[in-house]
Amino acid sequence: QVQLQESGPGLVKPSETLSLTCTVSRGSISNYYWTWLRQPPGKGLEWIGYISNSGGTKYKPSLKSRVTLSVDTSKNQFSLKLSSVTAADTAVYYCARGVYDLAPPDYWSQGILVTVSS
Amino acid sequence: QSVLTQPPSVSAAPGQKVTISCSGSSSNIGNNYVSWYQQVPGTAPKLLIYENDKRPSGIPDRFSGSKSGTSATLGITGLQTGDEADYYCGTWDSSLNINWVFGGGTKLTVL
C-alpha cells in the first residue's frame, strides 16, 4: 500500500518560512489529491489544503495568504511552504492522500513535529 | 471553536456499544459526505468511515456510520480496550470558500 513520509526541519524561527516535503512511495503521485494537515500539541486536527498531481490547489481560507503547495511528479513528491510563522504554527504536520478532490484523506504519513521558536 | 461539534468524551465498558455524535449545519454535514477518523495517541489518524457509512478495507464491521440532516453518528459495538482513542468527524464546508473541517474530537475511554 502507498506510503507517505515527510521531511524537513523540526525547528523554525518566528517570521521565517516553514518548508516540508512529502515523498510518496509504493504508489504513483498521479491521479490523486495530496493534502497537508496539522495538529497542535494536545489539540485537534486542522486541514491546511490540497494539491492535485496537475497542480490544482485548494487552501483553508484563514491560511491561504501564507500557504504555498507544489508538486514534483518526477520525484513523486509534494511540498508545503508556510510563511511568516509564529508559535501558533507549532504542530505535528501530516501529509495525506485523497483519491479525488472531495474525498477524505485516506493514507496518512506518520507526522512530523515542527516547533516555531527562536 | 470547531465548525463541527462533538462531545469531548464518552466512555463504556468492554463489550458494550458506544455512539459519538457530530453536529454541523447545512453548509457542511447537511450537504456533504461525512468521514470519521480514529487516532490512537502518538499515531496518525486512521480513516474509519467515509461517505457517511462506508468502511475502508480492513476496518471491522464493529464500526458504523450514519447521517441524518445536519448530524452524523459513529457507532462502535463490542468495545475493546484497543478502541480507546480520539475520534474525529470531518466533512467539506462551503460557508465561505470550500474547505475541509473537523470536529473537535471525542476521547473514548473503555472502562
Side-chain angles (χ1 to χ4, degrees), chain A residues 31-89:
Chain A
N31 302 317
Y32 291 101
Y33 288 74
W34 302 98
T35 300
W36 288 95
L37 310 100
R38 67 182 183 180
Q39 185 171 33
K43 296 189 179 180
L45 297 167
E46 179 181 27
W47 181 85
I48 297 171
Y50 73 57
I51 185 167
S52 71
N53 65 289
S54 61
T57 56
K58 195 173 290 293
Y59 301 116
K60 179 172 181 172
S62 61
L63 296 174
K64 186 175 182 179
S65 63
R66 297 195 292 131
V67 173
T68 302
L69 301 185
S70 59
V71 62
D72 186 338
T73 55
S74 67
K75 295 182 178 179
N76 246 29
Q77 294 177 333
F78 60 104
S79 299
L80 163 71
K81 291 187 185 299
L82 179 66
S83 64
S84 305
V85 297
T86 68
D89 295 310

Coordinates of all heavy atoms in Angstrom, one line a residue, chain A residues 31-89:
Chain A
N31 N -2.9 11.2 -10.5 CA -4.3 10.9 -10.4 C -4.9 10.9 -9.0 O -5.9 10.3 -8.7 CB -4.6 9.5 -11.1 CG -4.2 9.5 -12.5 OD1 -4.5 10.4 -13.3 ND2 -3.6 8.4 -12.9
Y32 N -4.1 11.5 -8.1 CA -4.6 11.7 -6.7 C -4.5 13.1 -6.2 O -4.0 14.0 -6.9 CB -3.8 10.8 -5.8 CG -4.0 9.3 -6.0 CD1 -3.1 8.6 -6.7 CD2 -5.2 8.7 -5.5 CE1 -3.3 7.2 -6.9 CE2 -5.4 7.3 -5.7 CZ -4.4 6.6 -6.4 OH -4.6 5.3 -6.6
Y33 N -5.1 13.4 -5.1 CA -5.0 14.7 -4.5 C -4.2 14.6 -3.2 O -4.4 13.7 -2.4 CB -6.5 15.2 -4.2 CG -7.2 15.6 -5.5 CD1 -7.7 14.7 -6.3 CD2 -7.3 17.0 -5.8 CE1 -8.3 15.0 -7.5 CE2 -7.9 17.3 -7.0 CZ -8.4 16.4 -7.8 OH -9.0 16.7 -9.0
W34 N -3.3 15.5 -3.0 CA -2.3 15.4 -1.9 C -2.5 16.5 -0.9 O -2.5 17.7 -1.3 CB -0.9 15.4 -2.5 CG -0.8 14.3 -3.5 CD1 -0.9 14.3 -4.8 CD2 -0.6 12.9 -3.1 NE1 -0.8 13.0 -5.4 CE2 -0.7 12.1 -4.4 CE3 -0.5 12.2 -1.9 CZ2 -0.5 10.8 -4.4 CZ3 -0.3 10.8 -2.0 CH2 -0.3 10.1 -3.2
T35 N -2.7 16.1 0.3 CA -3.2 17.0 1.4 C -2.2 17.2 2.5 O -1.4 16.3 2.8 CB -4.5 16.4 2.0 OG1 -5.5 16.3 0.9 CG2 -5.1 17.3 3.1
W36 N -2.2 18.4 3.0 CA -1.5 18.7 4.2 C -2.4 19.1 5.4 O -3.4 19.8 5.2 CB -0.5 19.9 4.0 CG 0.6 19.6 3.2 CD1 0.7 19.8 1.8 CD2 1.9 19.0 3.6 NE1 2.0 19.4 1.3 CE2 2.7 18.8 2.4 CE3 2.4 18.5 4.8 CZ2 3.9 18.3 2.4 CZ3 3.6 17.9 4.8 CH2 4.4 17.8 3.6
L37 N -2.1 18.5 6.5 CA -2.9 18.8 7.7 C -2.0 19.0 8.9 O -0.8 18.7 8.8 CB -3.9 17.6 8.0 CG -4.7 17.1 6.9 CD1 -4.1 15.8 6.3 CD2 -6.1 16.8 7.4
R38 N -2.5 19.5 10.0 CA -1.6 19.7 11.2 C -2.4 19.5 12.4 O -3.7 19.6 12.4 CB -0.9 21.0 11.1 CG -1.8 22.2 11.3 CD -1.0 23.5 11.2 NE -1.9 24.7 11.4 CZ -1.4 26.0 11.4 NH1 -0.1 26.2 11.2 NH2 -2.3 27.0 11.6
Q39 N -1.7 19.3 13.5 CA -2.3 19.1 14.8 C -1.4 19.7 15.9 O -0.4 19.2 16.2 CB -2.5 17.6 15.1 CG -3.3 17.3 16.4 CD -3.6 15.8 16.4 OE1 -2.9 15.0 16.0 NE2 -4.8 15.5 17.0
P40 N -1.8 20.9 16.4 CA -1.1 21.5 17.5 C -1.0 20.5 18.7 O -2.0 19.7 18.9 CB -1.8 22.7 17.9 CG -2.6 23.1 16.6 CD -3.0 21.7 16.0
P41 N 0.0 20.6 19.5 CA 0.2 19.6 20.6 C -1.1 19.7 21.5 O -1.5 20.7 22.0 CB 1.4 20.1 21.4 CG 2.2 20.8 20.3 CD 1.2 21.4 19.4
G42 N -1.6 18.5 21.8 CA -2.8 18.4 22.6 C -4.1 18.9 22.1 O -5.1 19.0 22.8
K43 N -4.1 19.3 20.8 CA -5.3 19.8 20.2 C -5.8 19.0 19.0 O -5.3 17.9 18.8 CB -5.1 21.3 19.7 CG -4.7 22.2 20.9 CD -4.7 23.6 20.4 CE -4.3 24.6 21.6 NZ -4.3 26.0 21.2
G44 N -6.8 19.5 18.4 CA -7.5 18.7 17.3 C -6.8 18.9 15.9 O -5.8 19.6 15.8
L45 N -7.4 18.3 14.9 CA -6.8 18.3 13.6 C -7.3 19.5 12.8 O -8.4 20.0 13.0 CB -7.3 17.0 12.8 CG -6.9 15.7 13.4 CD1 -7.7 14.5 12.8 CD2 -5.4 15.5 13.2
E46 N -6.4 20.0 12.0 CA -6.7 21.1 11.1 C -6.2 20.8 9.7 O -5.1 20.5 9.5 CB -6.0 22.4 11.6 CG -6.2 23.6 10.8 CD -5.5 24.9 11.3 OE1 -4.5 24.7 11.9 OE2 -6.0 26.0 11.0
W47 N -7.1 21.0 8.7 CA -6.8 20.9 7.3 C -6.2 22.1 6.8 O -6.6 23.2 7.1 CB -8.1 20.6 6.6 CG -8.1 20.4 5.1 CD1 -7.8 19.2 4.5 CD2 -8.3 21.3 4.1 NE1 -7.9 19.4 3.1 CE2 -8.2 20.7 2.8 CE3 -8.7 22.7 4.1 CZ2 -8.4 21.3 1.6 CZ3 -8.9 23.3 2.9 CH2 -8.8 22.6 1.6
I48 N -5.1 22.0 6.1 CA -4.3 23.1 5.5 C -4.7 23.3 4.1 O -5.0 24.5 3.6 CB -2.8 22.9 5.6 CG1 -2.4 22.9 7.1 CG2 -2.1 24.1 4.9 CD1 -1.0 22.5 7.4
G49 N -4.7 22.3 3.3 CA -5.1 22.4 1.9 C -4.6 21.2 1.1 O -4.0 20.3 1.6
Y50 N -5.0 21.2 -0.2 CA -4.6 20.1 -1.1 C -4.1 20.6 -2.4 O -4.4 21.7 -2.8 CB -5.7 19.0 -1.2 CG -6.8 19.4 -2.1 CD1 -6.7 19.7 -3.5 CD2 -8.1 19.3 -1.7 CE1 -7.7 20.0 -4.3 CE2 -9.2 19.6 -2.5 CZ -9.0 20.0 -3.8 OH -10.1 20.2 -4.6
I51 N -3.3 19.7 -3.1 CA -2.9 20.0 -4.4 C -3.1 18.7 -5.2 O -2.8 17.6 -4.7 CB -1.4 20.4 -4.5 CG1 -1.0 20.8 -5.9 CG2 -0.4 19.4 -3.9 CD1 0.4 21.6 -5.9
S52 N -3.5 18.8 -6.5 CA -3.6 17.7 -7.3 C -2.3 17.4 -8.1 O -1.4 18.3 -8.1 CB -4.8 17.9 -8.4 OG -4.3 18.9 -9.3
N53 N -2.2 16.3 -8.7 CA -1.0 16.0 -9.4 C -0.8 16.9 -10.6 O 0.4 17.1 -11.0 CB -1.0 14.5 -9.9 CG -2.1 14.3 -11.0 OD1 -3.2 14.3 -10.7 ND2 -1.6 14.1 -12.2
S54 N -1.8 17.6 -11.0 CA -1.7 18.5 -12.1 C -1.5 20.0 -11.6 O -1.4 20.9 -12.4 CB -3.0 18.5 -13.0 OG -4.1 18.8 -12.2
G55 N -1.5 20.1 -10.3 CA -1.1 21.4 -9.7 C -2.3 22.3 -9.2 O -2.1 23.4 -8.7
G56 N -3.5 21.8 -9.4 CA -4.7 22.5 -8.9 C -4.7 22.5 -7.4 O -4.3 21.5 -6.7
T57 N -5.1 23.6 -6.7 CA -5.0 23.7 -5.3 C -6.2 24.2 -4.6 O -7.1 24.9 -5.3 CB -3.8 24.7 -4.9 OG1 -4.1 26.0 -5.5 CG2 -2.5 24.2 -5.3
K58 N -6.4 23.9 -3.4 CA -7.4 24.5 -2.5 C -6.8 24.6 -1.2 O -6.2 23.7 -0.7 CB -8.6 23.6 -2.5 CG -9.9 24.3 -2.0 CD -11.1 23.4 -2.2 CE -11.5 23.2 -3.6 NZ -12.0 24.5 -4.2
Y59 N -7.1 25.8 -0.5 CA -6.5 26.1 0.8 C -7.5 26.4 1.8 O -8.6 27.0 1.5 CB -5.5 27.3 0.7 CG -4.4 27.1 -0.3 CD1 -4.3 27.9 -1.4 CD2 -3.4 26.2 -0.1 CE1 -3.2 27.8 -2.3 CE2 -2.3 26.0 -1.0 CZ -2.3 26.9 -2.1 OH -1.2 26.7 -3.0
K60 N -7.2 26.2 3.1 CA -8.0 26.7 4.2 C -8.0 28.3 4.1 O -6.9 28.9 4.0 CB -7.5 26.3 5.5 CG -8.3 26.8 6.7 CD -7.9 26.2 8.0 CE -8.8 26.8 9.1 NZ -8.6 26.1 10.4
P61 N -9.2 28.9 4.0 CA -9.2 30.3 3.8 C -8.3 31.2 4.8 O -7.7 32.1 4.3 CB -10.7 30.7 4.0 CG -11.4 29.4 3.6 CD -10.5 28.3 4.1
S62 N -8.3 30.8 6.0 CA -7.6 31.6 7.0 C -6.0 31.4 6.9 O -5.3 32.2 7.4 CB -8.0 31.2 8.4 OG -7.7 29.8 8.7
L63 N -5.6 30.4 6.1 CA -4.2 30.2 5.9 C -3.7 30.5 4.5 O -2.5 30.6 4.2 CB -3.8 28.7 6.2 CG -4.0 28.3 7.6 CD1 -3.7 26.8 7.7 CD2 -3.1 29.0 8.6
K64 N -4.7 30.8 3.6 CA -4.4 30.9 2.2 C -3.3 31.9 1.9 O -2.5 31.7 1.0 CB -5.7 31.3 1.5 CG -5.5 31.3 -0.1 CD -6.9 31.6 -0.7 CE -6.7 31.6 -2.2 NZ -8.0 31.8 -2.9
S65 N -3.2 33.0 2.6 CA -2.3 34.1 2.3 C -0.8 33.7 2.6 O 0.1 34.3 2.1 CB -2.6 35.4 3.0 OG -2.5 35.2 4.4
R66 N -0.7 32.6 3.4 CA 0.7 32.2 3.9 C 1.1 30.9 3.3 O 2.2 30.5 3.5 CB 0.7 32.2 5.4 CG 0.5 33.5 6.1 CD 0.9 33.4 7.6 NE 0.1 32.5 8.4 CZ 0.6 31.6 9.2 NH1 1.9 31.4 9.3 NH2 -0.3 30.9 9.9
V67 N 0.2 30.1 2.7 CA 0.5 28.8 2.2 C 0.8 28.7 0.7 O 0.1 29.3 -0.1 CB -0.7 27.8 2.6 CG1 -0.5 26.4 2.0 CG2 -0.9 27.7 4.1
T68 N 1.8 27.9 0.4 CA 2.0 27.5 -1.0 C 2.3 26.0 -1.1 O 3.1 25.5 -0.3 CB 3.3 28.2 -1.5 OG1 3.1 29.7 -1.4 CG2 3.5 27.9 -3.0
L69 N 1.5 25.4 -1.9 CA 1.7 24.0 -2.1 C 2.2 23.7 -3.5 O 1.8 24.5 -4.5 CB 0.3 23.2 -2.0 CG -0.4 23.3 -0.6 CD1 -1.6 22.4 -0.6 CD2 0.6 22.9 0.5
S70 N 3.1 22.8 -3.7 CA 3.6 22.4 -5.0 C 3.8 20.9 -5.1 O 3.8 20.2 -4.1 CB 5.0 23.1 -5.2 OG 5.9 22.8 -4.2
V71 N 3.9 20.5 -6.4 CA 4.1 19.0 -6.6 C 5.2 18.8 -7.6 O 5.3 19.6 -8.6 CB 2.7 18.4 -7.1 CG1 2.3 19.0 -8.4 CG2 2.8 16.9 -7.1
D72 N 5.9 17.8 -7.4 CA 7.0 17.4 -8.3 C 6.8 15.9 -8.7 O 7.2 15.0 -8.0 CB 8.4 17.6 -7.7 CG 9.5 17.3 -8.7 OD1 9.3 16.6 -9.7 OD2 10.6 17.8 -8.4
T73 N 6.1 15.7 -9.8 CA 5.7 14.4 -10.2 C 6.9 13.5 -10.6 O 6.9 12.3 -10.4 CB 4.7 14.4 -11.4 OG1 5.3 15.1 -12.5 CG2 3.4 15.0 -11.0
S74 N 8.0 14.1 -11.0 CA 9.2 13.4 -11.4 C 9.9 12.7 -10.2 O 10.5 11.7 -10.3 CB 10.2 14.3 -12.1 OG 10.7 15.3 -11.3
K75 N 9.7 13.3 -9.0 CA 10.2 12.8 -7.8 C 9.2 12.1 -6.9 O 9.6 11.7 -5.8 CB 10.9 14.0 -7.0 CG 12.1 14.6 -7.7 CD 12.7 15.7 -6.8 CE 14.0 16.3 -7.5 NZ 14.5 17.4 -6.6
N76 N 8.0 12.1 -7.3 CA 6.9 11.6 -6.5 C 6.8 12.3 -5.2 O 6.7 11.7 -4.1 CB 7.0 10.1 -6.3 CG 5.9 9.3 -7.0 OD1 5.4 9.7 -8.0 ND2 5.6 8.1 -6.4
Q77 N 6.9 13.6 -5.2 CA 6.9 14.4 -4.0 C 6.0 15.6 -4.1 O 5.7 16.1 -5.2 CB 8.3 15.0 -3.7 CG 9.4 13.9 -3.4 CD 10.7 14.6 -3.2 OE1 11.1 15.6 -3.7 NE2 11.6 13.9 -2.4
F78 N 5.5 16.1 -3.0 CA 4.8 17.3 -3.0 C 5.2 18.1 -1.7 O 5.7 17.5 -0.8 CB 3.2 17.1 -3.0 CG 2.6 16.3 -1.9 CD1 1.9 16.9 -0.9 CD2 2.7 14.9 -1.9 CE1 1.4 16.2 0.1 CE2 2.2 14.1 -0.9 CZ 1.5 14.8 0.1
S79 N 5.0 19.4 -1.7 CA 5.6 20.2 -0.7 C 4.7 21.3 -0.1 O 3.7 21.7 -0.8 CB 6.9 20.9 -1.3 OG 7.8 20.0 -1.7
L80 N 5.0 21.7 1.1 CA 4.3 22.7 1.8 C 5.2 23.8 2.2 O 6.3 23.5 2.7 CB 3.6 22.1 3.1 CG 3.2 23.2 4.1 CD1 1.9 23.9 3.6 CD2 2.9 22.4 5.4
K81 N 4.9 25.1 1.9 CA 5.6 26.2 2.5 C 4.6 27.1 3.2 O 3.5 27.4 2.7 CB 6.3 27.0 1.4 CG 7.4 26.3 0.7 CD 8.2 27.2 -0.3 CE 9.3 26.5 -1.0 NZ 10.3 25.9 -0.1
L82 N 4.9 27.4 4.4 CA 4.1 28.3 5.3 C 4.9 29.4 5.7 O 5.9 29.2 6.5 CB 3.5 27.5 6.5 CG 2.6 28.2 7.4 CD1 1.3 28.7 6.8 CD2 2.3 27.4 8.7
S83 N 4.6 30.6 5.3 CA 5.4 31.8 5.6 C 5.0 32.5 6.8 O 3.9 32.3 7.4 CB 5.3 32.8 4.4 OG 4.0 33.3 4.3
S84 N 5.9 33.4 7.3 CA 5.6 34.2 8.5 C 5.1 33.5 9.6 O 4.1 33.8 10.2 CB 4.7 35.4 8.1 OG 5.1 36.1 7.0
V85 N 5.8 32.4 10.0 CA 5.3 31.5 11.1 C 5.4 32.2 12.4 O 6.3 33.0 12.7 CB 6.0 30.2 11.1 CG1 5.7 29.4 9.8 CG2 7.5 30.3 11.3
T86 N 4.5 31.8 13.3 CA 4.5 32.2 14.7 C 4.4 30.9 15.6 O 4.2 29.8 15.1 CB 3.3 33.1 15.1 OG1 2.1 32.3 15.0 CG2 3.3 34.3 14.1
A87 N 4.4 31.1 16.9 CA 4.3 30.0 17.8 C 3.0 29.2 17.6 O 3.0 28.0 17.8 CB 4.4 30.5 19.2
A88 N 2.0 29.9 17.1 CA 0.7 29.2 16.8 C 0.8 28.2 15.7 O -0.1 27.4 15.6 CB -0.3 30.3 16.5
D89 N 1.9 28.2 15.0 CA 2.0 27.3 13.9 C 2.8 26.0 14.3 O 3.0 25.1 13.5 CB 2.8 27.9 12.7 CG 2.0 29.0 12.0 OD1 0.8 28.8 11.7 OD2 2.5 30.1 11.9

